[in-house]
Amino acid sequence: MTQLPPYLFAELERKIEQKRAAGVDVISLGIGDPDLPTPAAVVEEGQRQLARPDTHQYPSNRGRPAFRQAVADFYRRRFGVEVDPDTEVLPLLGGKEGVAHICWAMLDPGDVCLAADPGYPVYTSGSLLCGAEPVLMPLTAAHGFQPNLDAITAPQRDRANLLFCNYPNNPTGAVIDDDFFERLARFGLEHEIPIVHDNAYSEITFDGYVAPSFLQAPGAKEAGIEMFSLSKAYNMTGWRTGAAVGNAAMIEALWKLKTNIDSGMFEAVQMASVRALAEGSGVAREMCEVYRRRRDLAVAALRAVGIDVDPPRGTMYIWVPVPEGHSSVSFTELVLEQAGVVVSPGSSYGPNGEGYVRISLTLSDERLREAMQRIEQHLRVAA
Ligand SMILES: *Cc1c(COP(=O)(O)O)cnc(C)c1O
């Protein structure tokens, strides 16, 4: 526990509380939790299933066949990827659970875990919790926010027994070059490093960009797995539903571990997930249109105060470089102080997040517009 990094938001949260206590209507652009509701058809299926006594008992850790089949059908339809629903699909209580537990399934104390930086904090905390050593792979603007696999040294490669990355990327909003997953799979196979692609955002894309699955890459199923989450794709963050998909040996190890930790996913939630996965892309497309509108609004406002950002082609985040002379934290404090708006300091996602803040588009257009207007009116960025 002592190795886990301190909670970076503690000081910021204290300042937010002070502001609120002083009567300021603080608007938070800090949290990546969709504001839109779960699609009605999915909620109705959940209600129907909740009323059925046959969903009320302990689920199997393998998941219902209907759930695994729905994931396999989704992967075929959406990505053109064939997976065996019996051996290559496992329900997860959200992608986060899968990311944390795959560390326990794969890593021995002293192993290296290669983790994208900036990245989802669980890549490093998950590996620290099982005595492994996270080694950060910097994601920089100069390299398209993709890890430079050639920069990973031979001693690091030799000790590595897991690699985490995620595209479309949280927090940078970056999407990948067409050949990245292919190179990643080859890298994993060549150096015998199991790959975990954390796929939380493949359905949240804009401007005609269609995000691939890692499993589309040649050799990917030999190289690793993908953690697919329904949270962001179907506005289901509270339901805790996702699936590990791909390499059968890794799935088996994760399953074996999980039989000792949890007792599976509530079957009513599994059946609601089946409904969501069968929805087709219509729901996601509508949602993406909402995020795109908000993205354009935020990008325009940032440009108006002299901060030039590229509109992201995926995720509901904008990765904003902080003005000269500021750190992530000092700029976050400035925005809170002057505009009463909360953003996330990039440094909370890892050392290479320093120099950025993350803006999340998960609040109503009206509130977002208000936040951006305040930034335009009040933010005095020292040039
Ligand atoms: C949201 C998110 C997840 C997982 O979310 P769950 O709700 O646990 O499925 C995983 N990775 C990244 C990068 C995310 O942003």
Side-chain angles (χ1 to χ4, degrees):
M1 293 305 293
T2 56
Q3 290 204 48
L4 295 180
Y7 187 54
L8 258 173
F9 291 92
E11 179 61 14
L12 183 62
E13 277 178 1
R14 202 184 52 79
K15 290 198 167 132
I16 294 168
E17 270 324 300
Q18 272 178 356
K19 281 261 159 204
R20 291 211 162 112
V24 177
D25 169 29
V26 175
I27 303 177
S28 177
L29 307 179
I31 298 160
D33 191 352
D35 58 308
L36 300 167
T38 305
V42 177
V43 174
E44 281 156 24
E45 182 63 21
Q47 286 169 327
R48 236 187 332 272
Q49 294 291 335
L50 183 60
R52 293 177 55 138
D54 67 342
T55 65
H56 295 177
Q57 289 177 293
Y58 282 125
S60 142
N61 280 83
R62 288 277 183 202
R64 279 198 177 181
F67 176 86
R68 284 183 273 115
Q69 188 63 53
V71 173
D73 290 345
F74 175 84
Y75 264 71
R76 182 188 306 114
R77 203 174 59 235
R78 169 66 177 83
F79 300 119
V81 167
E82 294 292 331
V83 289
D84 179 347
D86 293 333
T87 58
E88 296 175 334
V89 178
L90 186 70
L92 297 175
L93 308 178
K96 185 178 195 174
E97 183 259 312
V99 166
H101 282 147
I102 195 68
C103 293
W104 289 92
M106 304 302 295
L107 295 170
D108 284 328
D111 280 356
V112 157
C113 176
L114 297 165
D117 162 38
Y120 194 55
V122 188
Y123 305 154
T124 47
S125 60
S127 33
L128 283 171
L129 281 170
C130 49
E133 181 192 330
V135 166
L136 302 176
M137 302 183 292
L139 308 184
T140 62
H143 215 263
F145 297 109
Q146 291 167 34
N148 179 2
L149 301 174
D150 297 329
I152 299 163
T153 65
Q156 288 169 343
R157 286 193 314 246
D158 291 346
R159 282 173 58 214
N161 207 21
L162 211 53
L163 180 153
F164 284 115
C165 67
N166 136 262
Y167 293 96
N169 183 258
N170 175 12
T172 68
V175 298
I176 42 158
D177 297 338
D178 285 344
D179 68 339
F180 177 74
F181 281 155
E182 198 172 327
R183 287 188 287 120
L184 184 65
R186 215 180 310 127
F187 175 83
L189 290 171
E190 192 177 325
H191 302 294
E192 297 182 19
I193 303 170
I195 306 292
V196 178
H197 179 242
D198 179 18
N199 180 10
Y201 296 98
S202 61
E203 308 314 294
I204 316 282
T205 57
F206 318 110
D207 308 334
Y209 176 75
V210 178
S213 160
F214 169 62
L215 298 180
Q216 282 169 250
K221 257 205 275 180
E222 288 70 53
I225 60 176
E226 183 155 272
M227 304 294 183
F228 181 76
S229 167
L230 280 78
S231 285
K232 319 297 179 4
Y234 302 101
N235 301 330
M236 293 180 76
T237 47
W239 298 66
R240 312 313 302 136
T241 173
V245 188
N247 187 274
M250 289 170 76
I251 297 277
E252 182 74 9
L254 185 56
W255 166 77
K256 187 174 173 187
L257 177 85
K258 276 165 62 61
T259 58
N260 289 284
I261 294 178
D262 65 63
S263 293
M265 190 199 299
F266 183 21
E267 294 199 339
V269 173
Q270 290 189 48
M271 297 312 290
S273 305
V274 169
R275 187 73 182 82
L277 290 166
E279 264 303 295
S281 52
V283 168
R285 258 202 309 273
E286 270 174 43
M287 215 164 57
C288 291
E289 186 47 30
V290 172
Y291 290 136
R292 187 203 53 76
R293 198 170 63 220
R294 295 175 183 171
R295 176 199 69 172
D296 292 348
L297 191 157
V299 167
L302 289 165
R303 286 181 174 164
V305 294
I307 301 173
D308 196 24
V309 290
D310 290 331
R313 284 193 293 163
T315 77
M316 56 268 212
Y317 309 114
I318 302 179
W319 191 234
V320 183
V322 303
E324 262 317 303
H326 275 286
S327 69
S328 295
V329 168
S330 76
F331 187 64
T332 300
E333 288 175 354
L334 182 79
V335 175
L336 177 63
E337 201 46 52
Q338 297 192 344
V341 171
V342 179
V343 298
S344 300
S347 50
S348 59
Y349 303 94
N352 276 284
E354 181 51 75
Y356 292 87
V357 296
R358 193 193 76 173
I359 283 182
S360 174
L361 303 172
T362 51
L363 75 176
S364 71
D365 289 36
E366 194 193 347
R367 287 295 271 173
L368 180 66
R369 197 170 294 117
E370 159 87 25
M372 298 320 288
Q373 272 166 3
R374 284 196 213 165
I375 288 175
E376 278 190 54
Q377 280 164 13
H378 301 293
L379 201 66
R380 297 283 168 265
V381 174

